[in-house]
Amino acid sequence: MGWRMIGGLLLGLLAAAIGFRLAARQEKKMGAYWYLRQNLELLRSGIQNGAPLAEALNACSAGGSLLWQRMAGRLEERRSESLEEIWRQELEREGNPWDLTAEEATQLQSLGQVLGRQDKEQCCRQIQSLQSFLAGREMERTHKQQERSLLYRKLGMLSGILITILLI
């Protein structure tokens, strides 16, 4: 009976830990999403202050993201590629670290069509529009994330208690 009880308690704790781990993963996704919005703000302020686009992109890489550095480096090299092409290729290469939906990814890709082709006011307006769009989505995601986190924690605890009861 003693080993069954210990096994039940360990399995119960494991189920609860899995629930808390899933909740933490949801919170981490929200951090990446916030980071994207901050990088867009750095890009906008760089463009607004008259910095060259490559320099504005480099300013975004201060947080450690290689995406912005690679874009700036390729832009400075100025091979025969357009900024739109560089933007698209680098976003595809990066994948989806921000867990964007298809619509959000399309909006982000469309920013590459505006940058370098429009004047700085147009670029800043486009970035602000994208930021507003992402801010609205972030509020929706935050609400869903809070619900899911609570669900994962409760489900983990309840399944842990159930496993413990069944094995004891």
Side-chain angles (χ1 to χ4, degrees), residues 33 96 98-107 133 137 141:
Y33 201 72
N96 193 357
W98 306 291
D99 194 33
L100 300 176
T101 64
E103 183 182 3
E104 294 163 347
T106 302
Q107 290 281 333
F133 174 74
R137 291 297 181 105
R141 283 177 169 221

Side-chain angles (χ1 to χ4, degrees), residues 7-112:
L9 288 173
L10 288 176
L11 285 175
L13 288 173
L14 178 65
I18 290 171
F20 280 94
R21 176 81 176 173
L22 288 172
R25 185 180 297 167
Q26 288 292 319
E27 292 170 11
K28 184 178 178 183
K29 284 182 181 180
M30 290 305 297
Y33 201 72
W34 176 85
Y35 180 71
L36 171 62
R37 287 190 42 238
Q38 295 306 310
N39 282 328
L40 289 172
E41 178 60 29
L42 287 171
L43 179 62
R44 188 189 64 76
S45 65
I47 291 171
Q48 194 170 27
N49 292 332
L53 197 51
E55 192 177 308
L57 286 167
N58 254 336
C60 296
S61 67
S65 175
L66 295 177
L67 168 71
W68 309 100
Q69 271 181 332
R70 286 194 312 259
M71 281 186 194
R74 286 180 64 186
L75 192 59
E76 286 173 345
E77 291 172 7
R78 272 293 186 195
R79 292 182 272 179
S80 61
E81 299 171 300
S82 67
L83 175 62
E84 181 180 351
E85 186 66 22
I86 292 170
W87 186 269
R88 186 187 57 74
Q89 287 175 356
E90 289 300 330
L91 286 177
E92 286 175 1
R93 180 178 176 187
E94 188 75 10
N96 193 357
W98 306 291
D99 194 33
L100 300 176
T101 64
E103 183 182 3
E104 294 163 347
T106 302
Q107 290 281 333
L108 184 61
Q109 287 246 346
S110 71
L111 182 61

Side-chain angles (χ1 to χ4, degrees), residues 93-131:
R93 180 178 176 187
E94 188 75 10
N96 193 357
W98 306 291
D99 194 33
L100 300 176
T101 64
E103 183 182 3
E104 294 163 347
T106 302
Q107 290 281 333
L108 184 61
Q109 287 246 346
S110 71
L111 182 61
Q113 297 169 351
V114 174
L115 293 176
R117 288 188 179 179
Q118 305 287 332
D119 61 350
K120 70 179 185 178
E121 287 81 22
Q122 259 320 94
C123 291
C124 289
R125 269 190 249 130
Q126 181 70 23
I127 293 171
Q128 280 181 318
S129 173
L130 179 58
Q131 285 177 308

